[in-house]
Amino acid sequence: MTSYKINEVFESIQGEGAFTGVPSIFIRLQGCPVGCSWCDTKHTWTVDPDKQLSAAQAMAENNESDHWFTCDTDDLLTLFTQQKYQAKHVIITGGEPCMYDLHGLTDGLLAADYSVQIETSGTFEVKANPKSWITLSPKINMQGGYEVLDQVLQLANEIKHPVAMSKHIDELDTLLQRQQHSQDVLIYLQPISQQKRATELAVSTCIARNWRLSLQTHKFIGIE
Ligand code: SF4
């Protein structure tokens, strides 16, 4: 059974995109080489062998630590029970979760009657059960030098694009030209860090294009 390097597991409410408001269990995987300057989970970037903990130690820690632990799917399902989690929706996030082969994890979660969402930058091939909901938050021209892959673009159920400037809309337009089922995919614009100018740009563009606005609502109410 595949073992995953995990930064944290917690239960909260999904604050962004199509599942906004849905009680969810978050599995945050460790590791990401994409290098977004405004990343709010930089503590997940590196898998430092000296930072490995046991699952029990990691679950007792505060969030935003660069510690990590390993778990396979059965361990995670046991952890959900131990923690008395009630949510039936699981969000696999990061870091960049698609650095991992997620077939074992997504198969196991779906078999246990959870719905599964994967949040990815699109820069690594998605290897997961096809019933997983794919949230693509495309990271374009970041310092890691990774490209958004066609495979992820075609699998995406929603594209949640971070915006601060009009060039970000242009980048999304260029990306969508490669999208083969654009009628079926939900498009969200998400203002970066809730900046005023970014929010105004996102609102006016959503109205003009009939796209949707995604706000990081968890940040407004001070939850993770
Ligand atoms: S892809 Fe996600 S985790 Fe990686 S640097 Fe960008 S925002 Fe951070």
Side-chain angles (χ1 to χ4, degrees), residues 31-42 44-45 94-96 120-121 123 137 139 142:
C32 180
V34 177
C36 307
S37 59
W38 37 262
C39 175
D40 56 10
T41 54
K42 286 182 176 164
T44 66
W45 284 10
E96 175 41 73
T120 178
S121 63
T123 55
S137 184
K139 304 303 187 314
M142 297 301 160

Side-chain angles (χ1 to χ4, degrees), residues 72-132:
D72 63 24
T73 306
D74 284 349
D75 296 335
L76 279 163
L77 291 170
T78 302
L79 188 69
F80 293 179
T81 304
Q82 287 169 346
Q83 296 292 320
K84 299 187 170 47
Y85 291 155
Q86 298 298 311
K88 295 303 288 178
H89 183 68
V90 177
I91 300 169
I92 304 171
T93 189
E96 175 41 73
C98 293
M99 292 174 68
Y100 296 84
D101 185 332
L102 299 173
H103 274 113
L105 180 56
T106 52
D107 288 351
L109 290 169
L110 287 158
D113 281 337
Y114 291 95
S115 54
V116 176
Q117 177 180 5
I118 298 170
E119 296 183 327
T120 178
S121 63
T123 55
F124 286 80
E125 189 179 334
V126 174
K127 301 185 218 65
N129 187 299
K131 290 185 179 154
S132 310

Side-chain angles (χ1 to χ4, degrees), residues 6-212:
I6 296 172
N7 176 265
E8 62 178 343
V9 178
F10 61 97
E11 188 176 48
S12 187
I13 300 280
Q14 169 62 296
E16 309 177 359
F19 285 92
T20 295
V22 175
S24 304
I25 300 166
F26 290 77
I27 302 173
R28 188 182 303 289
L29 298 180
Q30 187 78 11
C32 180
V34 177
C36 307
S37 59
W38 37 262
C39 175
D40 56 10
T41 54
K42 286 182 176 164
H43 56 283
T44 66
W45 284 10
T46 308
V47 182
D48 181 343
D50 293 335
K51 299 291 176 71
Q52 184 173 3
L53 299 178
S54 69
Q57 287 171 319
M59 292 301 292
E61 270 208 327
N62 292 329
N63 57 21
E64 300 200 9
S65 155
D66 58 357
H67 288 132
W68 56 275
F69 61 102
T70 57
C71 261
D72 63 24
T73 306
D74 284 349
D75 296 335
L76 279 163
L77 291 170
T78 302
L79 188 69
F80 293 179
T81 304
Q82 287 169 346
Q83 296 292 320
K84 299 187 170 47
Y85 291 155
Q86 298 298 311
K88 295 303 288 178
H89 183 68
V90 177
I91 300 169
I92 304 171
T93 189
E96 175 41 73
C98 293
M99 292 174 68
Y100 296 84
D101 185 332
L102 299 173
H103 274 113
L105 180 56
T106 52
D107 288 351
L109 290 169
L110 287 158
D113 281 337
Y114 291 95
S115 54
V116 176
Q117 177 180 5
I118 298 170
E119 296 183 327
T120 178
S121 63
T123 55
F124 286 80
E125 189 179 334
V126 174
K127 301 185 218 65
N129 187 299
K131 290 185 179 154
S132 310
W133 177 276
I134 307 299
T135 299
L136 168 60
S137 184
K139 304 303 187 314
I140 302 165
N141 296 329
M142 297 301 160
Q143 65 188 39
Y146 289 83
E147 301 284 334
V148 176
L149 303 179
D150 269 331
Q151 188 255 8
V152 190
L153 205 48
Q154 308 319 328
L155 280 181
N157 299 98
E158 63 178 322
I159 296 177
K160 182 162 55 77
H161 192 55
V163 293
M165 294 177 268
S166 55
K167 76 166 189 176
H168 297 138
I169 310 290
D170 298 339
E171 288 169 350
L172 177 58
D173 280 334
T174 303
L175 200 70
L176 290 176
Q177 286 168 11
R178 293 163 46 199
Q179 231 281 338
Q180 291 165 7
H181 62 108
S182 53
Q183 300 307 311
D184 300 329
V185 69
L186 301 175
I187 312 275
Y188 285 84
L189 297 183
Q190 182 164 292
I192 292 176
S193 303
Q194 290 81 50
Q195 296 157 5
K196 188 167 186 293
R197 276 183 51 207
T199 304
E200 287 170 358
L201 173 65
V203 167
S204 61
T205 308
C206 284
I207 290 170
R209 306 288 191 92
N210 205 20
W211 290 343
R212 299 179 181 201

